[in-house]
Amino acid sequence: MTENEGTPRDTAQRKKDVLARLEKELDIWVASADGDGRPHLVPLSFLWDGEHVWLCTRRTNPTGRNLAAGGRTRLALGDTRDVVLMDGEVTTHPGDDVPVAAIEAFAAKSGWDPRRSGPAYVWFRVRPVAVEAWIEEPEIVGRHIMRDGVWADGA
């Protein structure tokens, strides 16, 4: 669990661990829903730019349609014993509206440059508004490390 096995991490350590995972992980689970509330869940490559998560997919697939229309998503890292959940507000951006540094960092990290995949691909910027992080049951208490877009005290 931690270097002090069985001792729950404090808020600051959880934030540090979440930020490290956002830098390191290649893919993130993206949950969305259509207008009728039908859920959709897929893994996508992503980039964390220090403030936002950048995703890229075709506008016409279910995830692209849902993110563009709904403006909200839940993202998830980890497995069932080391969880990071992030709720976020989504804005849609054509490729020419995305900072070149973000696109290049995304391409370097993921090994895929969406600029080469044609105009059907659009970008989604996710602004985190809530983050939960826990490792197994002992960390359920204190799992909310961001609310309303603000990191918790101590984070």
Side-chain angles (χ1 to χ4, degrees):
M1 174 183 291
T2 65
E3 54 192 48
N4 298 323
E5 189 66 36
T7 303
R9 298 170 295 170
D10 64 18
T11 303
Q13 186 62 52
R14 290 182 201 215
K15 178 183 177 186
K16 180 180 175 185
D17 293 347
V18 166
L19 293 175
R21 289 184 72 185
L22 287 167
E23 290 291 331
K24 172 184 82 159
E25 302 266 349
L26 296 177
D27 300 313
I28 197 162
W29 287 101
V30 180
S32 62
D34 67 15
D36 293 326
R38 282 186 298 263
H40 194 71
L41 179 67
V42 297
L44 291 177
S45 297
F46 75 99
L47 173 73
W48 171 250
D49 71 4
E51 294 182 51
H52 304 98
V53 172
W54 288 93
L55 308 166
C56 188
T57 192
R58 289 186 321 273
R59 180 188 294 270
T60 57
N61 69 25
T63 299
R65 289 191 311 264
N66 295 347
L67 292 176
R72 297 182 316 174
T73 188
R74 174 167 270 193
L75 307 175
L77 292 170
D79 59 37
T80 59
R81 300 203 180 256
D82 185 0
V83 178
V84 174
L85 296 177
M86 178 186 294
D87 293 328
E89 298 173 342
V90 179
T91 54
T92 306
H93 301 268
D96 59 358
D97 188 35
V98 179
V100 172
I103 296 172
E104 290 177 355
F106 178 95
K109 180 180 176 190
S110 70
W112 171 57
D113 188 338
R115 294 174 291 193
R116 296 189 181 125
S117 295
Y121 285 83
V122 295
W123 291 84
F124 299 95
R125 185 181 70 192
V126 179
R127 183 182 75 83
V129 295
V131 177
E132 299 174 54
W134 72 90
I135 297 176
E136 299 186 350
E137 186 278 330
E139 287 197 359
I140 293 291
V141 172
R143 69 186 176 273
H144 298 277
I145 62 172
M146 177 189 279
R147 291 179 195 243
D148 300 321
V150 178
W151 293 103
D153 288 340

